[in-house]
Structure formats: structure tokens, C-alpha cells
């Protein structure tokens, strides 16, 4: 261990005295800090704006005057998903899945983008996030800095002298890796700062620490690959060529192929195609506007028996509100079935993509990073489910108000004249029934559990590299 | 001279890149003895040294350092040896002190500044150069730093590969004196060289190598005989008209 520490310290001295190395480090530091800073500011601005929109939407809804309850069902409501704290580091799928949704009766609308998100990146530059910088560019820096670790000793013919001092090949490799590991820890400082900022805005310390840990594993994989290939060739140019090819494959080519493989292997039905299929199935279901005679007759008979009357006008409750409730319930069950099916397909596709993390650590780290940050597909589905829960609750609560506070007679006569219409309105105080919406991420432990498989992949990569480095170190020749 | 054998090669064979570089050589070097392997380029001299260091796999025979078979305990073997490679390779971005400190640390030898100064004095490296990075050093100056490292390690055995290559005549004489001093203090020295005159001056015994074989062995007393036909034969493949041999 002492020998490895000595070699690591010497490697650092070499880097510090090499102006090129310092220039590369400085360039990357500027890039990382600026990208991190811009992303943090962007997320904070988006968060403030979406929270403002959410509060405004809620205020607008509850401030509505006396209205016919069914008009309020269609008046609808907006929900907004504010970025989770760690989205400042890894916005993940947030940039492609939308953060706003219009909720109304009888429909499950798609998430769309808020005006700010849609117009905030006219140049398409927002793709460069701190997470992507770590995933794609940090390995490049490790390559630039570490590619010569072993081959430099060989080219300068120092290797025989080192080995002759009693330094084993394994100690030499360990020392070089140790030097890179210290550098990796420095690289992780900006991520640590972002993670701490996230903790101050409500993120769990466990999730923040896990995110830093995941990137440490990922960059350690790259450190191991760099030293391994540096020891495998006798010329620096060969090492650079091999590492550059490997980097291209792992960070650009394979992820691109992986996405295509996943979408071909588990294709998603198009949204229009899916909605047409759902409409076909729903044609027999009522949305409450066109209730079939049989449904009315069946419910009327039940209510007549319950209330001991034989006319709808004599019921203490408005059958139209109840019919709307029942119709909404059935329709929601059908819509949920389709939504579940679609989510299952999307998850299957995501799982297929993640499985290719066995081939490239970049896919593994991206999957783990999104899961821990709360910006993965599961969290998008979580948003859809939470929005749907709110939609269903407020629509059914309004239908309940419709049944209880608007008489059947006033309801069916609402279009007779203005006075009749006014009688079909209910008190605006009822709109207070709307619950506040704040997107609630999964617990840190649950997110970590979701990231379990990709973390396992990174550990697998490290185990393989450890074995290869140990084997190569034992056979290192001048 | 003590009789204890410190280095022993027994029918040593080494194959490199599919070519038999050493074809079954046997010799030994005793404590306090200077043994020079003399031969032309490609004779297998440097390969023999790498074999003693355990840096090349053997394809036949055996090789011992302090009666330890090389390969059975490489750590002990390397602890006993200081090695000066043919092309002296030190770190360009470090000065002489930093190079010595680093290599001594790796060898597990404590760094003592006064001993370092003494070793550098002994190899006559001028004072003002010692604190300069090696980038501006001549080959001879680098050689001196490497030799001082071997002195500082204070090992029982020194393996020197073309140690006087690149040194001026005065420095060569100084170096030969140094090697004789070390041998008289009990160090075992195995050196390889093309320099027939130098070998005769410094070595107790000289082994002549040609095409991976030991084709003759002489003592210092055979000085005249060394510079005759046999030596000519050893160099004849590559240097048929070598003036030193003529």
C-alpha cells in the first residue's frame, strides 16, 4: 500500500508539473462549473415558475363564482410538476415528458410542457446537463489525464528500473489507479455541492449521497479502463487510439444502438393508435352526457326503493349527479387500464434499455442517476398517477355536489330561461373541495431500490476490471 | 575475495519474440567479484541481466540470486539487487534529488539528504546541477544520478548494463575506480559491456558472449589474451574491423 501511495503521489506531481494536464483540468472545471451553475439556475427558475403556476391555477379554480357543477367538471384544472431537487443535476426524462397537465371530466390528457419549458431553450442547448457532462466528458478527462499512466513509464524505459526496485506490476497499477481515484474525488466536488444544495431544498441526504456514490463508481470504472489500456500497449499513440475508440463506442455508439434496440424489441403503440383503440372500447360506455335508458332505469329503480318514492323529481338526491359519478367511475377504469398498459410498455422498453448497461457503463450510470434523482420513467408515471388521482377525486366530488346540492328539477330545466339557469348554479364555496397538488417523489430508499440493478451493473464492471487489472499487473513486463 | 556465490546461471535459456536469445549459458559470480559479460550487439548480455531480475520468463535452465531461485521470491531477489539499465531512465520532470528520493522510497530505503549528497559527490555530479530538472542533463550526468542511486541502495549485488556508455574518458576512469571500490567493500558486480579495454581494467573475470552462448571466460590476468582472436570472434559478426579488437 505504501508503494502504491508513493506512486500515486508521484503521478500527481507529474500532472501538476505538466502544463497540458493543468490546462485540461482547468478547462473541464470551467465547463463543469458553468454547466452546473446554469442548470441549477434554470431548474430553480423553472421550479419557482411552475410552483407559481400551480398556486395560480388552484386560486383560479377556487375563486370561480357560483356555477353549474358539471360546468366546473369541464372547466377543469391544471397541475404542474416542479422539478425535484436533484433535477438540478440530472433532469433525466423531465425534458421530454412534460410537466403540465390539464385535468377535466371524462378525459385523461397527456402531459405537456409549460410555456417556460417550451420556450426556454430555443437553441436546443439544454441537453448539456451536469449529469451528461459527468457521463460523457468526465471519462474523456480521465482518459486525457491517465492514458499515459503506465505506457509513459514503458516509453521512457523507466519501467525496468521501477520493477528492478522491487515494485510489483500490481503495486504500480494500484498506484496509478489511486492517483486517478483522488482526481475522481476532486471531479465529484461540483456534484457534491449540487447534492448538498438539493438537501437544503428538501432532498434526502441518503439519495444525495447515493448519487455522488454512483458517479464515483462510474468514474472509477473509467479510471480502471484507462489504466488497463495504458498498460496493454507499448506506445502512447496506440493507447490514445484504443481509449478514444472505446470512449466513442461506450458513450455515443452503444447507447444510441441500445435505444434503437429497445424501441424495436419493445415497440410502443402510438398515442393516436392507442386513443382510437380506447375510444372504440369506450363507445359502449357513457360519459354522463348521454346516459342509456337501461342505466337510468336500473338506477331509478334502486333509488325509488331506497327513498320510497316513484318519481325522479321526488328523490332527495339528483339522479343526474349519481349517473355522472357512475359513468365517470366506469370510464376511468377503462382509461386506467389503457394507461396501465401504456406505462407497462414504456417500463418494458426502459428495462430493455437499462439491461444494456451490462454492455456499457454509461447506460447503467444514466439509469441509476435518473432513478435516484427522481427523473426516470417511473417518476413520470408517478406524476401521471398522482395527477389522475387528483382529477378523479375532484370530478367525483363535484359530481357528488351535483347529486346533493342541485335538484333534479332545476337541473333538467336549466336551459329554460335565465332564472332557471341561475337556479342550476351551486354555491362557489363548494370549489374549496379541490386538493392542493404537489408532486411527491418516491422515498429515497425506494429510489435506491429502483437503482439497484444499474448499480449492480457498475459493480460488475468494477469487479471485471479489478480481475483484469490484477491479472495484467501480475504479468506486467518492461 | 569471498567464495560465496551470489549470482549463478545454470544452462540458462531465454526465448524472446520466438527467438532463442540465450542458449544455455552457465556462470557464477562470487561476493566481492566484478564479472563483465563482453560481446557484440545481440549477444544476449542485457537479456542475461533481465533474467537475473526476473523480468523475463526462462525457457530453460535456472538462475539463482543469493541461492534463491529467481521466480520463487522475486521480492527478495530484487531487494538484493541494484540495477543500472543500458539507457538510463529517470524522470525528466524531477531533479536529481527528487529522482533519488522517489526511487529510494520505492525500494524502501530511507532518504537521508547527507548520504545523498555524499553519493552524488562520489559520482562527481556538480552541485549546481543537482537541483535542476533532468531535462537539461547530458547522458553522462543521468548515468551519474543512476549510479548514485545504486550506491544509495547499498545492495549486495549490482547489475550494470553498459554503465560507461555515454561517459567521457575521465568519467569512465572515475566510474571504474568506483566499481573497484564497491567490489572491495564486498559488493558483487555483474556488468555487461562492449568495451574490451574497460572490462579488462575493472573486471576480475570476463565472460565472452556470442549468439546467446558463453564462448570463453578469462581472468584479468589474461588481459593480453582477451584482445586476440577469441574477442575478435565475439565481435566479428557485427564489427569485423573493430579497431579495439585489432
Amino acid at each position: 500500500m505504501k508503494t502504491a501511495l508513493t506512486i500515486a503521489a508521484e503521478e500527481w506531481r507529474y500532472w501538476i508539473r505538466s502544463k497540458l494536464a493543468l490546462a485540461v483540468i482547468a478547462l473541464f472545471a470551467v465547463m463543469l462549473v458553468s454547466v452546473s451553475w446554469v442548470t441549477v439556475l434554470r431548474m430553480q427558475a423553472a421550479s419557482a415558475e411552475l410552483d407559481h403556476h400551480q398556486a395560480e391555477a388552484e386560486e383560479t379554480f377556487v375563486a370561480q363564482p357560483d356555477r353549474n357543477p358539471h360546468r366546473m367538471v369541464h372547466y377543469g384544472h391544471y397541475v404542474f410538476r416542479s422539478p425535484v431537487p436533484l433535477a438540478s443535476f440530472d433532469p433525466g426524462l423531465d425534458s421530454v415528458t412534460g410537466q403540465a397537465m390539464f385535468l377535466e371530466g371524462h378525459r385523461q390528457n397527456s402531459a405537456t410542457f409549460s410555456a417556460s419549458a417550451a420556450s426556454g431553450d430555443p437553441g436546443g442547448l439544454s441537453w448539456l446537463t451536469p449529469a451528461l457532462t459527468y457521463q460523457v466528458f468526465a471519462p474523456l478527462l480521465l482518459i486525457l489525464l491517465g492514458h499515459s499512466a503506465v505506457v509513459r513509464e514503458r516509453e521512457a524505459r523507466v519501467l525496468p528500473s521501477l520493477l528492478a526496485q522491487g515494485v510489483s506490476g500490481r503495486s504500480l497499477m494500484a498506484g496509478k489507479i489511486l492517483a486517478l481515484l483522488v482526481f475522481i474525488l476532486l471531479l465529484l466536488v461540483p456534484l457534491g455541492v449540487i447534492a448538498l444544495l438539493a438537501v437544503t431544498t428538501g432532498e434526502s441526504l441518503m439519495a444525495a449521497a447515493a448519487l455522488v456514490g454512483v458517479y464515483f463508481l462510474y468514474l472509477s470504472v473509467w479510471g480502471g479502463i484507462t489504466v488497463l489500456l495504458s498498460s496493454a500497449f507499448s506506445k502512447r499513440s496506440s493507447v490514445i487510439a484504443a481509449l478514444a475508440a472505446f470512449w466513442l463506442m461506450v458513450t455515443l455508439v452503444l447507447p444510441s444502438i441500445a435505444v434503437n434496440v429497445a424501441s424495436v424489441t419493445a415497440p410502443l403503440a402510438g398515442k393516436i393508435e392507442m386513443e382510437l383503440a380506447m375510444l372504440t372500447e369506450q363507445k359502449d360506455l357513457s360519459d354522463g352526457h348521454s346516459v342509456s335508458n337501461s342505466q337510468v332505469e336500473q338506477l331509478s329503480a334502486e333509488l325509488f326503493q331506497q327513498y320510497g318514492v316513484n318519481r325522479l323529481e321526488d328523490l332527495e338526491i339528483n339522479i343526474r349527479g349519481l349517473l355522472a359519478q357512475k359513468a365517470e367511475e366506469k370510464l376511468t377504469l377503462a382509461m386506467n387500464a389503457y394507461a396501465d398498459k401504456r406505462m407497462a410498455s414504456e417500463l418494458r422498453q426502459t428495462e430493455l434499455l437499462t439491461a444494456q448497461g451490462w454492455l456499457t457503463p454509461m447506460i447503467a450510470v444514466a439509469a441509476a442517476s435518473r432513478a435516484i434523482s427522481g427523473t426516470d420513467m417511473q417518476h413520470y408515471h408517478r406524476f401521471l398517477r398522482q395527477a389522475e388521482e387528483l382529477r378523479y377525486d375532484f370530478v367525483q366530488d363535484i359530481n357528488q355536489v351535483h347529486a346533493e346540492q342541485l335538484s333534479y328539477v332545476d337541473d333538467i330545466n336549466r336551459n329554460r330561461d335565465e332564472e332557471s339557469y341561475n337556479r342550476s348554479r351551486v354555491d362557489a364555496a363548494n370549489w374549496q373541495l379541490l386538493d392542493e397538488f404537489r408532486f411527491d417523489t418516491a422515498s429515497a430508499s425506494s429510489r435506491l431500490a429502483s437503482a439497484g440493478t444499474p448499480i449492480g451493473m457498475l459493480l460488475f464492471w468494477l469487479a471485471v476490471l479489478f480481475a483484469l487489472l490484477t491479472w495484467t499487473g501480475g504479468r506486467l513486463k518492461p | 575475495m569471498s567464495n560465496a556465490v551470489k549470482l549463478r546461471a545454470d544452462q540458462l535459456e531465454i526465448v524472446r519474440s520466438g527467438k532463442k536469445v540465450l542458449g544455455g549459458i552457465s556462470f557464477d559470480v562470487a561476493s566481492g567479484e566484478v564479472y563483465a559479460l563482453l560481446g557484440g550487439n545481440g549477444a544476449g548480455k542485457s537479456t542475461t541481466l533481465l533474467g537475473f531480475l526476473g523480468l523475463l520468463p526462462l525457457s530453460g535452465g535456472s538462475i539463482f540470486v543469493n541461492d534463491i531461485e529467481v521466480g520463487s521470491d522475486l521480492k527478495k531477489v530484487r531487494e538484493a539487487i541494484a540495477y543500472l539499465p543500458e539507457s538510463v531512465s529517470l524522470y525528466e520532470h524531477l531533479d536529481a534529488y527528487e529522482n533519488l528520493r522517489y526511487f529510494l522510497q520505492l525500494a524502501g530505503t530511507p532518504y537521508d539528504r547527507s548520504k545523498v549528497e555524499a553519493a552524488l559527490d562520489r559520482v562527481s555530479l556538480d552541485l549546481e546541477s543537482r537541483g535542476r530538472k533532468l531535462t537539461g542533463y547530458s547522458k553522462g550526468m543521468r548515468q551519474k544520478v543512476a549510479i548514485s542511486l545504486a550506491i544509495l541502495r547499498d545492495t549486495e549485488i549490482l547489475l550494470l548494463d553498459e554503465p560507461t556508455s555515454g561517459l567521457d574518458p575521465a568519467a569512465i576512469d572515475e566510474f571504474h575506480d568506483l566499481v573497484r571500490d564497491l567490489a572491495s567493500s564486498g559488493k558483487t558486480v555483474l556488468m555487461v559491456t562492449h568495451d574490451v579495454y574497460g572490462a579488462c581494467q575493472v573486471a576480475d573475470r570476463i565472460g565472452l558472449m556470442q549468439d546467446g552462448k558463453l564462448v570463453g571466460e578469462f581472468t584479468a590476468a589474461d588481459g593480453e589474451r582477451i584482445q586476440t582472436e577469441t574477442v575478435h570472434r565475439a565481435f566479428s559478426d557485427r564489427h569485423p574491423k573493430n579497431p579495439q579488437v585489432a
Side-chain angles (χ1 to χ4, degrees), chain A residues 3 6-7 10 13-14 17 152-153 156-158 160-168 172 176 476-478, chain B residues 50 53-57 78 81 83 85 87 89-91 93-95 98 102-103 105-107 133 149 153:
Chain A
T3 305
T6 304
I7 292 169
E10 181 47 43
R13 181 156 56 180
Y14 171 75
R17 290 191 180 176
R152 186 180 73 240
E153 313 278 11
R157 301 189 178 184
V158 184
S161 304
L162 287 175
L163 298 174
Q165 304 301 315
V167 175
S168 70
L172 181 70
K176 302 293 182 177
L476 194 67
K477 297 291 174 208
Chain B
L50 294 178
L53 286 164
L55 292 176
L56 295 175
R78 289 175 181 169
I81 296 176
Y83 167 61
S87 107
S89 307
L90 296 163
Y91 291 98
H93 64 286
L94 304 180
D95 62 28
E98 289 168 339
Y102 180 52
F103 280 101
Q105 275 182 327
L106 291 179
K133 286 181 189 167
L149 173 63
R153 281 199 57 208

Side-chain angles (χ1 to χ4, degrees), chain A residues 7 12 20 106 140 165 204-205 224 227 277 279 325 339 368 375 400 411 414 433 461:
Chain A
I7 292 169
W12 265 92
L20 175 69
H106 330 318
L140 204 53
Q165 304 301 315
S204 126
L205 185 60
V227 173
L279 285 173
Q325 263 188 337
T375 56
Q400 190 67 31
D411 197 8
R414 65 187 179 281
L433 55 81
W461 271 87

Side-chain angles (χ1 to χ4, degrees), chain A residues 81-87 94 202-204 207 371-376 378-379 382-383 386 438-444 446-447:
Chain A
R81 175 172 55 135
S82 277
V84 293
L86 283 174
D94 287 10
E203 182 54 90
S204 126
I372 293 171
S373 299
T375 56
D376 60 351
Q378 288 196 30
H379 275 80
R382 191 178 169 87
F383 167 62
Q386 286 177 9
R438 295 291 178 270
F439 176 55
D440 176 29
T441 50
S443 68
S446 158
R447 279 181 275 158

